[in-house]
């Protein structure tokens, strides 16, 4: 048994090496195909920016040893492989805009040597380069959400009102303003009046109109702004119809009062939250007859008692009344 393992050792080692080599050769000879999509980044020198790019993704067809193709596939899924094209155009060669077409090759993908690039789609990518400039733009506050029920934003203030922006010459010639990032005002109430100012960043793009299209162009702004919002309770009005007019006089008033119209309409205003809770019992209409004596008729203004922070919208009308002595008061004479 010992002879079996100890005889012809060099020959046996050579056979093992050849077997491993053949196995590796067989693996590498097995060709794999991969069609997938990768992101495309176009880099430009300082002083230039990419205004438009026909696509930010390309579809590539690769071939190579199956084990290498599998590795490349995993690297693309992990975003470790993408396409990157470097433009070397000088800013001095661009007056305003410059359109170029680029073609992606294997060297732009950083692929292993064993992988072959069969095709790229689209095979031509159009880019528009723009020369950069600086410009002051007005700041516009962007809001999302709604204030708490019963509250409104009645005023807003932004400081500074203008910021310096760096962007393509062609876009900044047409732009007059730039937005802040969206500020969430959902559910805010008067309590927030004490928390201002808020520091808000500037959105890194400007929006311009090109024909029937609206285009967003990337820009750079290194400033931020502070904002103040004036939040007040929402004001509203409410109409109370056919409210009874009460007659108020001194105790044991000896005269009889007859109103020509015992009812009146009253319109009030105030915070919406208060008005929504207001009942007819909270609104009192009356006339004071303390100083009136027969004979009549009289014309008296209607007065009103309202809860705090509620006001009349319109002046109340006058009421016509007759006044006469009671039988008891006549006999007392």
């Amino acid at each position: 048994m010992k002879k079996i393992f100890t005889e012809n050792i060099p020959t046996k080692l050579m056979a093992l090496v050849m077997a491993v080599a053949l196995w590796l050769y067989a693996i590498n000879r097995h060709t794999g195909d991969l069609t997938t999509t990768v992101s495309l980044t176009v880099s430009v020198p300082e002083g230039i920016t990419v205004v438009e790019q026909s696509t930010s993704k390309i579809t590539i067809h690769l071939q190579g040893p199956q084990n290498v193709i599998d590795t490349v596939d995993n690297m693309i899924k992990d975003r470790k492989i993408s396409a990157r094209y470097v433009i070397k155009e000088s800013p001095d060669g661009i007056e305003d805009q410059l359109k170029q077409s680029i073609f992606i090759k294997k060297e732009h993908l950083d692929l292993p040597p064993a992988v072959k690039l069969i095709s790229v789609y689209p095979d031509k990518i159009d880019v528009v380069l723009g020369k950069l400039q600086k410009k002051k733009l007005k700041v516009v506050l962007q809001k999302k959400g709604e204030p708490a029920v019963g509250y409104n934003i009645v005023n807003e203030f932004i400081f500074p009102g203008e910021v310096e922006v760096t962007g393509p010459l062609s876009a900044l010639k047409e732009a007059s303003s730039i937005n802040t990032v969206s500020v969430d005002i959902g559910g805010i109430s008067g309590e927030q009046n004490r928390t201002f100012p808020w520091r808000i960043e500037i959105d890194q793009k400007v929006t311009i109109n090109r024909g029937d299209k609206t285009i967003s162009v990337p820009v750079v702004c290194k400033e931020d702004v502070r904002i103040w919002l004036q939040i007040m309770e929402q004001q509203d009005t409410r109409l109370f119809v056919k409210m009874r007019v009460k007659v108020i006089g001194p105790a044991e008033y000896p005269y009889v009062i007859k109103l020509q119209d015992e009812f009146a309409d009253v319109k009030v205003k105030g915070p919406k939250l208060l008005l929504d809770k207001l009942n007819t019992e909270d609104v009192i209409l009356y006339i004071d007859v303390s100083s009136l004596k027969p004979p009549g008729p009289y014309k008296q203004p209607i007065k009103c008692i309202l809860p705090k922070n509620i006001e009349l919208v319109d002046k109340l009308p006058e009421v016509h009344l007759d006044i006469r002595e009671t039988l008891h008061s006549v006999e007392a004479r």
Side-chain angles (χ1 to χ4, degrees), residues 98-133:
L98 179 66
K99 185 175 181 179
Q100 285 190 356
S101 296
I102 61 177
F103 301 86
I104 302 302
K105 299 178 181 179
K106 183 178 177 180
E107 58 263 30
H108 301 125
L109 288 159
D110 194 24
L111 296 169
V115 174
K116 184 179 180 180
L117 178 61
I118 303 300
S119 66
V120 177
Y121 180 82
D123 58 354
K124 183 179 75 169
I125 295 93
D126 295 324
V127 294
V128 177
L129 307 178
K131 192 171 186 176
L132 293 175
Q133 76 159 12

Side-chain angles (χ1 to χ4, degrees), residues 280-281 298:
T280 54
E281 293 81 5
Y298 286 95

Side-chain angles (χ1 to χ4, degrees), residues 208-260:
I208 58 175
N209 295 319
R210 293 278 172 83
D212 57 350
K213 294 193 303 182
T214 300
I215 300 174
S216 292
V217 181
V219 297
V220 175
C221 179
K222 297 180 180 180
E223 301 181 57
D224 55 22
V225 296
R226 287 171 291 170
I227 67 165
W228 290 260
L229 301 176
Q230 185 181 2
I231 304 162
M232 294 184 63
E233 287 186 272
Q234 184 178 347
Q235 301 296 300
D236 204 351
T237 61
R238 185 173 172 186
L239 178 64
F240 290 87
V241 180
K242 289 190 175 300
M243 297 286 291
R244 181 176 291 278
V245 180
K246 298 182 177 182
V247 177
I248 296 178
E252 299 181 0
Y253 187 67
Y255 308 116
V256 175
I257 303 294
K258 182 174 178 56
L259 301 181
Q260 186 175 338

Side-chain angles (χ1 to χ4, degrees), residues 1 38 43 83 110 125 143 154 164 172 191 193 195 213 227 242 252 260 270 276 307 309 315:
M1 179 67 71
V38 296
S43 300
D110 194 24
I125 295 93
K143 303 184 290 290
V154 296
E164 185 175 75
L172 292 188
E191 295 296 318
N193 284 329
T195 68
K213 294 193 303 182
I227 67 165
K242 289 190 175 300
E252 299 181 0
Q260 186 175 338
D276 290 343
N309 297 324
K315 185 179 178 180

Side-chain angles (χ1 to χ4, degrees), residues 7-23:
E7 287 181 352
N8 300 321
I9 290 178
T11 303
K12 291 176 180 176
L13 287 173
M14 182 62 72
L16 178 61
V17 170
M18 290 181 66
V20 172
L22 285 171
W23 178 73

Side-chain angles (χ1 to χ4, degrees), residues 272-297:
K272 187 176 186 304
L273 293 177
L274 286 180
L275 290 181
D276 290 343
K277 298 176 182 178
L278 205 61
N279 296 317
T280 54
E281 293 81 5
D282 301 319
V283 179
I284 300 173
L285 302 185
Y286 71 95
I287 58 169
D288 187 355
V289 297
S290 299
S291 61
L292 301 184
K293 295 180 180 179

